[in-house]
Amino acid sequence: MSNDLVFYTNPMSRGRIVRWMLEEVGQPYSTEILDYEHGLKSPAYLAVNPMGKVPALKHGDTVITEGAAICAYLADAFPDAGLAPPLADRGDYYRWLFFTAGPIEAAVTARSLGFEPKPEQRRMAGFGCLDDVMNAVEGAVSGRDFIAGGKFTAADVYVGSQIGWGMQFGSLEKRPAFEAYWEKISNRPAAVRAREIDDALMPAQPQTVPA
């Protein structure tokens, strides 16, 4: 397989998570910036991701979409970066990667759109309710530096980004456990580089709705 990495993103999107992961991996990559008005729904990009959403990644002929999947893929594709724990420690790693991509994302989106499941409806929703989701992830990050295996992994990139972004924009409560966890990981050199790259791109990309 060619090791060429092509990253499709917009600096005002969840692509910022994958940018951080790419900077942690440390492999060269090219970036395709897509604007919301035309780029995301262009025929060329729909051939990459029929959803017309970012982020997406091409690694040679392999296409990966969805932020959590891209983070997990990169950790496995470039094991020398040490961003996936040993198999014995992957329970928490997979659990919280996909918990964040599933219940947290769904619960936060539902709340932001004004939908709150009634108690009798919570069994039907995978996330139950936002309070249950927040309590679960608070327990996962309390009293530990990293979320899986005692070391920084791709799960910290994804979970940490969602927590940091949620607190910044008010979609998640600023609980002390969240603030402490985010403080531990947000100033990593790769995280700082990623923010600087995307922040520098933002003036040319004024859209504010994440894809």
Side-chain angles (χ1 to χ4, degrees):
M1 176 191 290
S2 165
N3 274 336
D4 291 345
L5 290 167
V6 183
F7 172 42
Y8 301 87
T9 189
N10 181 290
M12 289 293 291
S13 78
R14 295 170 181 84
R16 294 176 75 99
I17 302 173
V18 172
R19 174 84 71 185
W20 179 7
M21 184 65 187
L22 284 163
E23 292 298 316
E24 292 283 355
V25 165
Q27 296 293 319
Y29 63 93
S30 61
T31 304
E32 297 286 339
I33 303 296
L34 300 167
D35 66 85
Y36 285 104
E37 186 174 355
H38 303 294
L40 290 176
K41 303 302 182 182
S42 69
Y45 185 62
L46 290 175
V48 176
N49 184 0
M51 286 291 290
K53 295 279 191 175
V54 286
L57 184 75
K58 287 185 73 173
H59 183 202
D61 294 329
T62 300
V63 175
I64 315 98
T65 67
E66 315 313 315
I70 295 171
C71 289
Y73 177 87
L74 285 169
D76 287 340
F78 300 99
D80 289 347
L83 295 167
L87 186 60
D89 293 321
R90 289 207 183 185
D92 280 344
Y93 175 76
Y94 288 130
R95 176 185 182 182
W96 297 112
L97 262 175
F98 296 113
F99 184 83
T100 305
I104 290 180
E105 178 86 11
V108 169
T109 300
R111 173 70 64 86
S112 69
L113 295 176
F115 170 67
E116 196 72 42
K118 298 175 183 177
E120 63 272 18
Q121 295 174 319
R122 291 174 184 173
R123 289 187 302 171
M124 300 172 61
F127 61 86
C129 68
L130 183 59
D131 286 344
D132 287 347
V133 167
M134 291 299 95
N135 291 339
V137 77
E138 181 180 19
V141 301
S142 294
R144 63 173 75 178
D145 291 337
F146 307 113
I147 206 161
K151 65 186 293 290
F152 183 87
T153 67
D156 293 296
V157 173
Y158 193 78
V159 178
S161 293
Q162 295 283 9
I163 289 174
W165 203 346
M167 290 192 299
Q168 179 181 354
F169 290 102
S171 57
L172 297 183
E173 298 174 18
K174 289 186 176 181
R175 299 186 180 186
F178 295 162
E179 292 178 312
Y181 173 62
W182 181 236
E183 178 70 21
K184 291 169 189 171
I185 64 174
S186 61
N187 290 319
R188 290 176 60 85
V192 173
R193 285 196 307 273
R195 287 196 297 271
E196 290 175 347
I197 292 169
D198 279 323
D199 288 350
L201 291 168
M202 285 175 61
Q205 301 288 332
Q207 300 87 350
T208 58
V209 180

